[in-house]
Amino acid sequence: MKIKKKRLSSVKKEAWGLFSRYIRIRDCLKTTGCTSFGLCITCSKRYHFKLLQAGHFVSGRHNANLFSERGTHAQCYNCNINLRGNTLEYRRKIIGLYGPGADVELENEANQIKKYTVPDLEALIIELKNKIKEVENE
């Protein structure tokens, strides 16, 4: 019997789905105290969990910043897609959350080269499942 090898792209997609869920739950709890609704980091409007996206401070979703918890926050479709991240407001929020220079640190982080392997991503999947359980039980 041949063991089917997992493809990097499918494991990465699964990890991204869990990461996005974790970020949105984390930020819903942080901004409204419940997992059903949250505030967009950039426009501060209230949205249902399902209408929020995991928006990156540094656009492009490069490997180096793809799973960055400090660089990814709940964002509405309008800010994330239509306004291309609403970057000026996002920068202000990043500095407010993490302090002066955090924006530059995140930009530098995104320029690094990071290559994921299937085992890396499988470990991340386990970690994210545990984090989701933790935040859902708070």
Side-chain angles (χ1 to χ4, degrees), residues 16-122:
W16 170 253
L18 289 166
F19 182 73
S20 172
R21 180 174 174 76
Y22 168 69
I23 293 297
R24 291 177 292 135
I25 291 170
R26 177 198 72 182
D27 290 359
C28 283
L29 285 168
K30 197 183 297 182
T31 60
T32 66
C34 74
T35 58
S36 300
F37 292 91
L39 303 182
C40 171
I41 187 166
T42 45
C43 71
S44 300
K45 290 181 184 169
R46 185 174 180 256
Y47 289 92
H48 190 276
F49 167 83
K50 290 180 180 178
L51 295 176
L52 290 167
Q53 300 180 344
H56 289 88
F57 170 64
V58 179
S59 65
R61 284 178 47 165
H62 307 286
N63 275 348
N65 73 333
L66 183 61
F67 300 110
S68 168
E69 290 186 31
R70 281 183 37 173
T72 312
H73 297 84
Q75 224 179 6
C76 69
Y77 179 88
N78 186 53
C79 287
N80 193 29
I81 304 299
N82 295 337
L83 299 177
R84 290 187 171 86
N86 198 353
T87 53
L88 181 58
E89 192 55 37
Y90 208 154
R91 183 175 299 277
R92 289 181 181 132
K93 297 290 172 97
I94 288 292
I95 293 167
L97 282 170
Y98 305 114
D103 55 332
V104 177
E105 286 175 25
L106 289 169
E107 288 168 335
N108 289 337
E109 176 185 285
N111 290 326
Q112 295 172 6
I113 295 171
K114 170 77 175 154
K115 293 194 184 248
Y116 288 103
T117 64
V118 170
D120 291 340
L121 293 167
E122 287 173 333

